[in-house]
Amino acid sequence: MSAKLEHIGIAVENLDEAEKLWENILGTPSYKRELVESEGVMTSFFDCGNVKIELLAATHADSPIAKFIAKKGPGMHHLAFDTPDIARTLAEKKEMGMTLIHEV
């Protein structure tokens, strides 16, 4: 089953500084900030045409993003794909041996 790249998630230490950097790189401001309390993250999105850039900054020291940065440093965190059948796509990827963050 084919899937379209929807966005690239990038873990950052300082969201304000990262937004300024990406605004300069892309020549456009972030169009949305969103707090995802369940994940302990503040996100910021940039529209790049066919794909988005999502910056992810931890809101507390024990969030998954804070742990990711502590272990691997800032940088690419994930690729998100748009698919017409998420359950089927997840099952296929799991069967292929890929590690899934969420299985539903």
Side-chain angles (χ1 to χ4, degrees):
M1 176 169 289
S2 67
K4 174 185 167 274
L5 181 61
E6 203 279 334
H7 72 262
I8 300 167
I10 301 172
V12 301
E13 293 177 326
N14 182 302
L15 191 58
D16 291 329
E17 289 178 11
E19 279 181 327
K20 289 176 189 173
L21 172 66
W22 282 93
E23 186 173 323
N24 286 332
I25 290 170
L26 299 172
T28 186
S30 166
Y31 70 88
K32 175 175 82 167
R33 264 195 184 198
E34 182 178 0
L35 175 63
V36 184
E37 290 186 46
S38 63
E39 297 293 325
V41 65
M42 177 65 79
T43 66
S44 179
F45 284 89
F46 289 85
D47 189 350
C48 299
N50 293 333
V51 69
K52 298 176 193 97
I53 300 290
E54 177 190 30
L55 305 179
L56 305 115
T59 58
H60 52 81
D62 62 340
S63 74
I65 292 298
K67 292 174 183 176
F68 176 89
I69 290 173
K71 184 176 180 179
K72 299 184 178 187
M76 191 174 81
H77 179 261
H78 66 271
L79 300 175
F81 294 89
D82 185 10
T83 179
D85 186 345
I86 188 64
R88 180 175 167 195
T89 301
L90 287 172
E92 288 173 354
K93 301 313 175 202
K94 186 175 182 177
E95 286 178 20
M96 295 170 90
M98 292 184 181
T99 302
L100 306 178
I101 295 172
H102 301 287
E103 294 194 22
V104 292

